[in-house]
């Protein structure tokens, strides 16, 4: 899964391999990020497949 952490000037990602569901991981990671700092907030959580699909969509459209 990919957790995007965003503010207006910095973007970061965290890749985690887990058997947990996205919902369970989102809650746990949001809780941990908030405990660590109030400056950042989890932006979204997507699967690695979704990340790959997003990053390759321009090429898929070009090939089509």
């Amino acid at each position: 899964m990919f957790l995007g952490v965003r503010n207006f000037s910095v973007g970061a990602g965290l890749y985690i391999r887990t058997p947990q569901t996205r919902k369970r991981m989102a809650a746990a990671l949001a809780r941990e990020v908030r405990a660590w700092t109030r400056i950042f907030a989890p932006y979204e959580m997507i699967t690695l497949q979704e990340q790959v699909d997003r990053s390759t969509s321009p090429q898929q459209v070009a090939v089509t």
Side-chain angles (χ1 to χ4, degrees), residues 22-63:
R22 183 187 316 198
K23 185 176 179 179
R24 179 175 274 180
M25 285 305 301
L29 287 169
R31 186 174 54 250
E32 291 302 316
V33 169
R34 281 192 301 270
W36 178 62
T37 180
R38 297 275 182 190
I39 296 171
F40 298 108
Y43 177 69
E44 70 178 339
M45 182 176 285
I46 61 175
T47 65
L48 188 54
Q49 184 60 56
E50 290 169 326
Q51 178 67 21
V52 169
D53 292 345
R54 287 181 185 184
S55 66
T56 59
S57 64
Q59 292 86 354
Q60 292 173 353
V61 169
V63 169

